């Protein structure tokens, strides 16, 4: 537009020969040019406005802020300024980079080495014209990758549903008017008005404040709300000490305020955490590493088979190409194409079982990873604790002690006198009643629907009054005056007059003990005021110290006619208590070899108190601060973190440091959290676990798992699932490899010894169906064993094909080969020609061996009678189906022609059943021997310790 008008201006200037001809500009055109020039300058001026870092903004005076952001603090920005700034700074939001198209996510499923190996075997089958094999392998691969893609897509959708919140809104002053806007519309320099219950929409430097308290627990981890000011700060400090700045995502608990937006979107502190989180790579899961390793081992095994057969054929003088074809066919048969399907089915079933227990798993392999997890680092506020301040102890001025049960902002729970455990209601005990009354009257909080409107500590006092049926006591007074709390005086007081009786006005005061006691001259003794002696003052001070050492926030309460003549009533101890079930979960996890560590922004005393309450390290706690971590080298930290159970005064970077140090020391780390400050650690941990209800969107985005009900004890179920899944995968691998080695060895031995093939092509196909079909698949759905949780986490370095498993595979394979060769040798005629009876007996013998082998593969360590014969219904149905199918192949004439079989007598079947059961009997005896050896070893260790 500007260029068009400028060109019109140039057209007014003509050039003829050497001289210039000028045309005078019209007045309207001249004004337009000046307007355009002013507009260009205004645009340039708006482009100069930049977001300010919180530390820098905290030092600015009001006038400096107005100048830096080119804004009138009374009228706000103009719509022109907002438009130009949005072009420069973008919308006040940040979008997770989920732009990866669906087809790319689908193709990523093919990166698994085992899948690539199967695709290679399908290609070889096509080249050797074995199209049936190629089609079956390709179908298996497609099923696996499709199931994985669909399940992960569903998990993502579940997460989207979970995080669909009402778009955040705000009140903003623009062009002199207070407007209600979406938070995403804000730009740097906007003037935002804040009131109780508002979610802070951006980073804001406060310019006006009235009793403003902000809950920054999602950002700092501190349960106690932060008191805010509008005066410039001079000293240096960390982000948590910037009392004139409020951060995006935090919540206004009390009071009101106004301020200038200093940072939006990714330029906010919330955005900084988000960028750090995106920069963190999610580590590969142990199962993915194990499957990669198994894929490489099977590839090596396949090449060895091909090499041995080609060498043997060459030594026997056979045609090299035919021997290569046989070798490749056997190698392809050796690859368990059913394994990826079993792994997928096992993981999907694990995810579905977890979903029923209110746990959303975003990536399939994560379910199994919890089976290897040996360290759980947990954020304190909102994860281990309820993030609801609660009174737990009372001490009256005359020395009575009472304990308070129940958690949260409700009337559930009781107040019991100690040591008698007498339940107190209303004024059944005058001293306790007066103490609770003072806490309820000197109070501005309101509890509605189990939610506190106001300060959490005041909410705790209201909840205490509700437990004693005294919550309405406040209504029996008329408030005349309030002296608000300030960080300098450390107390608040109200002046009231009783509604019912003609009594004189009363003051009720609450605050820090050392401040409140200065205004007291008397103390309450069973309802009678007595002079406050130095001895009585010392007793109260001692009680206050005792409560402080327990990590409680201690409030002193007093009442009286004048501020200098108050009667001291006693002390209340407040804490953010542990969630229900956390203590039991920590104990069970510790017994199963999982170390639980607590990370918090709180002070040492509070952190240790919660640590003791939930039973961390059986009460033998070792603590480390964020400052100590900063002064320690990373390698030293890696050696030290394993011994520490409580980390206090930590920031997001400290959490990340802890995770990295633990991973360096070889630990598989799960991290639980709910706040913005947990996001980076959640992303970098092996398993990130977010809270579904109290968790912020950024923490849910970073995590691999979400506890929908915020129930920490659900982690135990997840650990149990993880351990069970790996056991089932090992059971399947053992069955399939022992079967495939047996089949390969039979064919290879007959080929090398110039004997007829013991099995024809259709019989081998039938065995393959059993090997990869229902009996094999049903091993993957074996219910999780009850003793699984007590077992220590598996070592990540342990491969699926461990030494013990290989020995079991070889034992089963040697028994199957020996038994089948014995039947083949017994039934083969003298002329060594293959007859239908020979192949039928050999084929049936192999199938029966296979089914008995599957039965013993249901557990690696437990006898069949211990795990329960009828527990896995799918296994029973699949084995019964296989037996009926085998009998149909033997006795139904049309199938006899296809499989080249003939009828067998009852004695034949009895002989084959007895012989085939030997693989089951030997395996069970081996388990029994291992059990006795293990018990003897434990007894010897115990004896040596004694």
């Amino acid at each position: 537009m500007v260029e068009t008008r400028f060109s019109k201006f140039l057209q007014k200037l003509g050039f003829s020969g050497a001289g210039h001809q000028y045309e005078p500009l019209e007045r309207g055109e001249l004004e337009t040019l000046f307007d355009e020039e002013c507009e260009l300058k205004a645009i340039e001026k708006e482009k100069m406005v930049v977001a300010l870092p919180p530390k820098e903004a905290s030092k600015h005076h009001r006038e400096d802020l107005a100048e830096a952001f080119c804004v009138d603090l009374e009228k706000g920005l103009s719509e022109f300024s907002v438009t130009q700034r949005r072009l420069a700074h973008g919308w006040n939001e940040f979008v997770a980079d989920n732009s990866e198209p669906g087809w790319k996510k689908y193709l990523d499923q093919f990166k698994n080495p085992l899948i690539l190996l199967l695709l290679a075997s399908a290609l070889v089958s096509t080249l050797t014209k074995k199209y049936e094999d190629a089609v079956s392998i390709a179908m298996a691969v497609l099923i696996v990758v499709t199931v994985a893609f669909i399940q992960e897509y569903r998990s993502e959708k579940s997460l989207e549903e979970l995080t669909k919140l009402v778009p955040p809104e705000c009140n903003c002053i623009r062009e002199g008017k207070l407007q209600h806007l979406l938070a995403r519309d804000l730009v740097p320099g906007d003037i935002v008005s804040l009131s109780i219950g508002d979610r802070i929409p951006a980073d804001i430097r406060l310019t006006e404040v009235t009793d403003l308290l902000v809950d920054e627990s999602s950002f700092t981890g501190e349960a106690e709300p932060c008191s805010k000011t509008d005066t410039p700060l001079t000293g240096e400090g960390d982000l948590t000490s910037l009392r004139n700045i409020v951060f995006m995502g935090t919540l206004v608990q009390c009071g009101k305020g106004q301020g200038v937006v200093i940072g939006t979107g990714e330029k906010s502190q919330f955005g900084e955490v988000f960028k750090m989180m995106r920069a963190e790579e999610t580590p590969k899961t142990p199962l993915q590493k194990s499957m990669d390793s198994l894929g490489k081992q099977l590839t090596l095994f396949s090449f060895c088979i091909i090499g041995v057969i080609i060498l043997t054929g060459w030594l026997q003088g056979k045609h090299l190409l035919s021997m290569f074809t046989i070798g490749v066919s056997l190698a392809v048969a050796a690859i368990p194409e059913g394994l990826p399907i079993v792994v997928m089915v096992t993981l999907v079933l694990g995810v579905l079982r977890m979903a029923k227990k209110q746990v959303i798993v975003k990536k399939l392999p994560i379910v199994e990873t919890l089976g290897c997890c040996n360290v759980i680092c947990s954020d304190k506020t909102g994860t281990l604790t309820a993030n609801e301040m609660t009174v737990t102890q009372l001490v009256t001025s005359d020395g009575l002690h009472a304990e308070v049960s129940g958690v949260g902002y409700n009337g559930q729970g009781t107040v019991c006198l100690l040591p008698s455990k007498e339940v107190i209601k209303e004024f059944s005990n005058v001293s306790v009643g007066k103490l609770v009354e003072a806490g309820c009257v000197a109070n501005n909080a309101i509890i509605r629907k189990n939610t506190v409107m106001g300060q959490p500590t005041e909410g705790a006092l209201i909840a205490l009054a509700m437990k004693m049926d005294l919550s309405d006591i406040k209504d029996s007074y008329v408030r005349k005056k309030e002296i608000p709390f300030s960080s300098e005086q450390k107390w608040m007081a109200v002046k009231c007059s009783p509604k019912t009786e003609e009594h004189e006005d009363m003051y009720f005061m609450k605050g820090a003990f050392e401040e409140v006691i200065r205004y007291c001259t008397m103390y309450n003794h069973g309802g009678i005021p007595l002079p406050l002696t130095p001895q009585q003052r010392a007793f109260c001070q001692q009680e206050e110290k005792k409560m402080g050492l327990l990590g409680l926030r201690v409030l002193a309460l007093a009442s009286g006619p004048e501020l200098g003549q108050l009667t001291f009533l006693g002390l209340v101890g407040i804490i953010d208590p542990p969630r229900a079930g956390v203590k039991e979960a920590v104990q069970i996890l510790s017994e199963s070899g999982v170390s639980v560590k607590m990370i918090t922004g709180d002070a040492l005393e509070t952190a240790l108190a919660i640590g003791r309450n939930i039973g961390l390290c059986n009460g033998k706690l070792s603590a480390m601060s964020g400052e100590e971590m900063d002064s320690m080298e990373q390698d030293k930290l890696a050696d030290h973190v394993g011994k520490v159970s409580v980390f206090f005064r930590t920031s997001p970077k400290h959490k990340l440091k802890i995770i990295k140090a633990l991973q360096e020391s070889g630990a598989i780390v799960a991290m639980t959290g709910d706040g913005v400050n947990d996001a980076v650690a959640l992303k970098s941990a092996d398993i990130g676990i977010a809270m579904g209800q109290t968790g912020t969107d950024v923490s849910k985005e970073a995590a691999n798992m979400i506890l929908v009900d915020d129930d920490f004890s659900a982690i135990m179920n997840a650990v149990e699932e993880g351990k069970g899944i790996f056991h089932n995968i090992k059971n399947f691998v053992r069955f399939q490899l022992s079967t495939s080695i047996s089949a390969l060895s039979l064919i290879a031995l007959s080929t090398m010894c110039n004997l007829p093939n013991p099995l024809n092509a259709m019989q081998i196909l039938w065995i393959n169906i059993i090997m990869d079909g229902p009996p094999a698949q049903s091993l993957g759905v074996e219910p999780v064993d009850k003793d699984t949780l007590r077992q220590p986490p598996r070592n990540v370095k342990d491969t699926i094909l461990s030494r013990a498993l290989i020995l079991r595979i070889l034992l089963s394979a040697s028994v199957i080969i020996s038994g089948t060769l014995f039947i083949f040798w017994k039934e083969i005629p003298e002329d060594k020609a293959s007859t239908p009876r020979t192949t039928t007996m050999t084929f049936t013998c192999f199938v029966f061996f296979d089914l008995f082998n599957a039965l013993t593969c249901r557990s690696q360590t437990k006898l069949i009678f211990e795990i329960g014969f009828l527990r896995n219904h799918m296994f029973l149905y699949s084995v019964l189906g296989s037996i009926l199918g085998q009998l149909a192949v033997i006795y139904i004439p049309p199938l006899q022609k296809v499989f080249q079989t003939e009828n067998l007598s009852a004695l034949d079947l009895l002989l084959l059943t007895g012989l085939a059961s030997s693989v089951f009997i030997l395996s069970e005896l081996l388990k029994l021997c291992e059990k006795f050896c293990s018990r003897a070893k434990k007894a010897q260790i115990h004896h040596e310790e004694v």
Side-chain angles (χ1 to χ4, degrees):
M1 188 175 75
V2 180
E3 288 83 350
T4 309
R5 285 171 182 167
F6 188 64
S7 62
K8 281 173 77 179
F9 164 69
L10 288 175
Q11 285 168 18
K12 295 277 181 179
L13 303 175
F15 295 90
S16 61
H20 300 287
Q21 293 179 343
Y22 299 96
E23 281 186 36
L25 283 169
E26 293 170 17
R27 184 172 177 175
E29 290 174 322
L30 195 62
E31 285 175 0
T32 304
L33 278 172
F34 280 122
D35 288 346
E36 293 297 345
E37 193 178 343
C38 292
E39 191 176 325
L40 281 169
K41 283 181 181 176
I43 291 169
E44 287 302 315
K45 189 179 178 183
E46 293 299 337
K47 283 181 181 176
M48 298 292 285
V49 174
V50 292
L52 277 182
K55 285 186 182 178
E56 189 182 331
S58 69
K59 296 173 184 175
H60 280 41
H61 288 78
R62 282 169 57 94
E63 299 75 21
D64 301 333
L65 278 172
E67 190 180 335
F69 287 101
C70 304
V71 63
D72 184 324
L73 296 180
E74 302 302 320
K75 293 181 181 177
L77 294 173
S78 65
E79 287 302 328
F80 172 79
S81 297
V82 170
T83 307
Q84 295 305 320
R85 292 183 193 196
R86 187 166 297 128
L87 290 171
H89 299 278
W91 296 95
N92 179 31
E93 61 185 5
F94 29 84
V95 182
D97 190 18
N98 289 334
S99 54
E100 200 174 72
W103 61 267
K104 192 173 185 302
K105 287 181 180 178
Y106 186 77
L107 290 178
D108 282 346
Q109 304 290 337
F110 288 91
K111 288 180 180 177
N112 185 327
L114 201 58
I115 296 288
L116 294 172
L117 182 59
L118 287 172
L119 288 173
S121 68
L123 180 64
V124 169
S125 299
T126 307
L127 294 173
T128 52
K129 298 185 180 178
K130 296 197 173 179
Y131 300 116
E132 297 89 349
D133 285 355
V135 169
S136 65
I137 292 168
M139 286 300 293
V141 168
L142 280 173
I143 289 166
V144 167
V145 296
T146 306
V147 167
F149 173 73
I150 289 169
Q151 188 57 44
E152 289 184 8
Y153 178 78
R154 277 182 181 172
S155 293
E156 281 178 17
K157 287 294 168 193
S158 301
L159 181 68
E160 280 175 26
E161 290 302 315
L162 194 70
T163 55
K164 270 183 188 171
L165 302 173
V166 179
E169 298 173 342
C170 64
N171 293 309
C172 177
I173 298 170
R174 283 185 185 168
E175 298 188 331
K177 296 173 189 172
L178 185 65
Q179 300 179 26
H180 193 68
L181 306 170
L182 287 175
R184 73 189 294 266
D185 294 337
L186 292 178
V187 294
D190 259 325
I191 308 298
V192 176
S193 181
L194 302 169
S195 56
I196 188 166
D198 285 355
R199 181 78 62 184
I200 309 291
D203 286 0
I204 295 168
R205 161 65 165 88
L206 296 166
T207 54
E208 291 177 25
V209 163
T210 309
D211 300 333
L212 187 64
L213 282 174
V214 177
D215 176 5
E216 295 185 336
S217 59
S218 70
F219 191 75
T220 63
E222 290 273 8
E224 195 61 32
C226 182
S227 176
K228 294 294 178 179
T229 180
D230 54 8
T231 54
L233 304 179
T234 51
E236 290 291 327
D238 61 4
L239 290 172
T240 57
S241 65
L242 302 180
R243 290 183 54 235
N244 58 4
I245 305 283
V246 286
F247 297 102
M248 180 194 276
T250 56
L251 188 72
V252 177
Q253 283 274 5
C254 186
K256 57 184 182 177
Q258 190 171 297
V260 182
V261 173
I262 58 168
T264 58
E266 293 195 358
K267 288 287 189 331
S268 65
Q269 286 307 303
F270 197 109
E272 289 298 321
V273 173
F274 202 78
K275 280 191 280 186
M276 279 171 71
M277 182 194 80
R278 280 198 310 204
E280 278 299 316
E281 285 291 321
T282 307
K284 253 191 174 184
T285 69
L287 181 63
Q288 287 169 327
K289 290 173 186 172
S290 295
M291 296 305 287
D292 291 355
S293 172
L294 182 62
K296 288 168 188 170
Q297 286 172 322
L298 291 175
T299 308
L300 187 65
F301 176 60
S302 302
F303 282 122
C304 288
I305 289 173
I306 295 167
V308 167
I309 288 174
I310 289 172
L311 184 65
T312 309
W314 179 68
L315 291 172
Q316 289 179 343
K318 291 183 179 176
H319 196 262
L320 273 179
L321 186 61
S322 65
M323 292 312 297
F324 177 75
T325 307
I326 291 169
V328 168
S329 302
L330 290 174
V332 168
I335 296 165
E337 59 261 37
L339 180 59
I341 293 179
V342 165
V343 170
M344 196 54 57
V345 168
T346 310
L347 291 174
V348 168
L349 287 172
V351 167
L352 295 175
R353 280 195 292 266
M354 291 312 301
K356 285 177 186 172
K357 293 170 184 174
Q358 299 296 293
V359 177
I360 290 177
V361 179
K362 287 165 70 178
K363 293 280 181 186
L364 287 177
I366 289 297
V367 187
E368 189 278 332
T369 308
L370 275 158
C372 319
C373 172
N374 48 17
V375 178
I376 295 177
C377 293
S378 181
D379 170 54
K380 179 187 79 73
T381 308
T383 308
L384 293 174
T385 63
N387 200 12
E388 294 177 321
M389 299 302 277
T390 307
V391 176
T392 57
Q393 286 188 29
L394 305 176
V395 179
T396 64
S397 54
D398 51 355
L400 295 176
H401 288 72
E403 68 175 8
V404 185
S405 63
V407 174
Y409 304 118
N410 55 62
Q412 293 172 6
T414 56
V415 180
C416 297
L417 214 56
L418 296 175
S420 64
K421 294 281 182 183
E422 177 198 340
V423 176
I424 305 165
K425 292 288 180 184
E426 297 183 333
F427 287 94
S428 59
N429 183 290
V430 179
S431 297
V432 175
K434 279 188 167 292
L435 179 65
V436 174
E437 177 191 37
C440 189
V441 177
N443 203 309
N444 291 316
I446 301 166
I447 291 177
R448 283 189 193 142
K449 296 179 182 177
N450 297 343
T451 306
V452 67
M453 301 296 288
Q455 287 191 51
T457 45
E458 291 195 332
L461 294 171
I462 297 285
L464 172 66
M466 288 165 74
K467 290 168 189 176
M468 284 184 59
D469 299 334
L470 284 172
S471 55
D472 296 332
I473 196 81
K474 197 175 182 178
D475 300 333
S476 57
Y477 291 93
V478 177
R479 185 181 290 192
K480 291 186 169 180
K481 180 185 176 186
E482 178 185 339
I483 303 167
F485 177 89
S486 76
S487 53
E488 288 77 29
Q489 69 186 25
K490 295 183 181 175
W491 57 266
M492 74 88 70
V494 292
K495 184 183 181 182
C496 302
S497 63
K499 282 183 182 177
T500 51
E501 301 169 31
E502 288 299 320
H503 278 106
E504 60 183 3
D505 291 350
M506 289 274 290
Y507 278 93
F508 293 93
M509 180 188 277
K510 72 171 191 300
F513 169 76
E514 63 274 10
E515 297 299 325
V516 171
I517 202 79
R518 288 171 52 208
Y519 292 87
C520 298
T521 55
M522 314 288 278
Y523 79 96
N524 177 53
H525 186 85
I528 302 163
L530 295 176
L532 184 63
T533 61
Q535 292 87 346
Q536 190 63 31
R537 189 186 289 256
F539 164 76
C540 295
Q541 193 166 7
Q542 194 177 359
E543 289 296 329
E544 190 261 345
K545 276 188 179 175
K546 279 183 190 173
M547 290 169 87
L549 288 171
L550 293 172
L552 300 173
R553 181 171 185 214
V554 185
L555 282 181
L557 293 140
S559 66
E562 293 294 334
L563 279 181
Q565 298 170 21
L566 299 181
T567 300
F568 186 71
L569 299 173
L571 305 163
V572 293
I574 303 172
I575 199 165
D576 179 13
R579 281 183 180 276
V582 165
K583 188 172 183 176
E584 295 77 9
V586 168
Q587 187 181 346
I588 292 168
L589 288 166
S590 299
E591 286 170 3
S592 65
V594 180
S595 170
V596 181
K597 299 180 186 297
M598 183 173 77
I599 307 175
T600 177
D602 277 339
L604 176 62
E605 292 78 14
T606 309
L608 291 177
I610 293 293
R612 278 190 288 268
N613 281 354
I614 63 173
L616 282 184
C617 295
N618 297 318
K620 297 168 186 172
L621 301 177
S622 169
M624 180 186 271
S625 70
E627 281 184 12
E628 287 176 78
M629 271 185 269
D630 288 334
S631 62
M632 200 176 280
E633 293 293 326
Q634 190 68 22
D635 53 344
K636 283 186 182 177
L637 187 62
D639 296 333
H640 201 68
V641 284
K643 301 162 194 168
V644 179
S645 47
V646 173
F647 297 90
F648 65 98
R649 290 289 183 217
T650 57
S651 66
K653 66 170 186 178
H654 293 134
K655 292 183 180 184
L656 185 61
K657 242 184 165 184
I658 294 162
I659 301 289
K660 296 283 187 192
L662 285 164
Q663 287 172 333
E664 274 179 37
S665 65
I668 297 295
V669 186
M671 171 76 198
T672 69
D674 64 336
V676 179
N677 58 331
D678 303 318
V680 186
L682 287 170
K683 181 81 180 283
S684 63
D686 296 284
I687 311 134
I689 306 167
M691 302 291 124
Q693 291 181 353
T694 58
T696 55
D697 287 0
V698 73
S699 68
K700 290 174 197 169
E701 176 64 37
N704 313 109
M705 265 173 63
I706 292 132
L707 308 180
V708 177
D709 291 339
D710 293 5
D711 184 3
F712 184 82
S713 56
I715 294 172
M716 286 191 304
N717 299 326
V719 169
E720 200 170 12
E721 278 299 335
K723 289 178 179 177
I725 283 167
F726 193 73
H727 286 302
N728 287 352
I729 291 169
K730 283 184 86 168
N731 295 343
F732 172 82
V733 168
R734 178 188 169 184
F735 168 71
Q736 203 168 47
L737 288 183
S738 57
T739 306
S740 59
I741 287 169
S742 306
L744 287 171
S745 302
L746 272 176
I747 296 161
L749 285 169
S750 60
T751 306
M752 288 178 195
C753 300
N754 281 324
L755 292 170
N757 258 336
L759 304 167
N760 61 44
M762 286 307 293
Q763 289 167 354
I764 290 170
L765 184 65
W766 178 251
I767 287 167
N768 236 340
I769 288 168
I770 291 175
M771 194 170 80
D772 292 326
Q777 304 286 328
S778 63
L779 289 172
V781 297
E782 188 72 34
V784 177
D785 190 46
K786 287 178 183 176
D787 294 338
T788 302
L789 196 59
R790 294 194 193 97
Q791 293 175 9
R794 77 174 180 90
N795 193 326
V796 208
K797 292 174 184 174
D798 291 348
T799 57
I800 291 175
L801 279 177
S802 61
R803 190 180 167 190
L805 189 65
I806 291 169
L807 289 172
R808 286 194 178 95
I809 289 168
L810 293 175
L811 175 73
S812 298
S814 58
V815 173
I816 294 168
I817 294 162
S818 305
T820 311
L821 280 176
F822 169 72
I823 293 294
F824 182 57
W825 170 78
K826 179 177 168 291
E827 295 296 331
I828 198 167
E830 286 182 13
D831 61 355
K832 293 187 178 180
S834 182
T835 64
R837 176 171 172 81
T838 307
T839 54
T840 305
M841 285 289 281
T842 310
F843 170 45
T844 308
C845 180
F846 193 93
V847 169
F848 281 12
F849 262 121
D850 231 13
L851 297 176
F852 274 111
N853 187 32
L855 184 63
T856 194
C857 284
R858 281 179 60 191
S859 173
Q860 301 295 320
T861 54
K862 286 198 166 187
L863 300 172
I864 191 70
F865 307 107
E866 288 179 293
I867 59 172
F869 193 80
L870 304 172
R871 193 173 70 162
N872 188 346
H873 298 295
M874 188 180 164
F875 177 80
L876 293 175
Y877 296 142
S878 59
V879 167
L880 184 64
S882 299
I883 292 169
L884 292 173
Q886 184 63 26
L887 294 175
V889 164
I890 297 168
Y891 294 109
I892 295 173
L895 292 175
Q896 283 180 335
K897 285 182 182 177
V898 174
F899 287 90
Q900 296 170 21
T901 56
E902 65 176 43
N903 292 352
L904 298 178
S905 67
L907 281 173
D908 288 335
L909 290 177
L910 206 61
L911 167 69
L912 294 175
T913 305
L915 183 63
S917 66
S918 60
V919 71
F920 169 74
I921 293 162
L922 274 170
S923 291
E924 294 294 291
L925 285 172
L926 182 66
K927 289 177 194 175
L928 207 59
C929 290
E930 284 175 348
K931 195 164 278 195
F932 279 125
C933 291
S934 176
R935 279 180 191 167
K937 199 174 181 181
K938 281 180 183 174
Q940 189 181 349
I941 291 166
H942 179 70
H943 181 71
E944 285 172 2
E945 284 176 355
V946 170

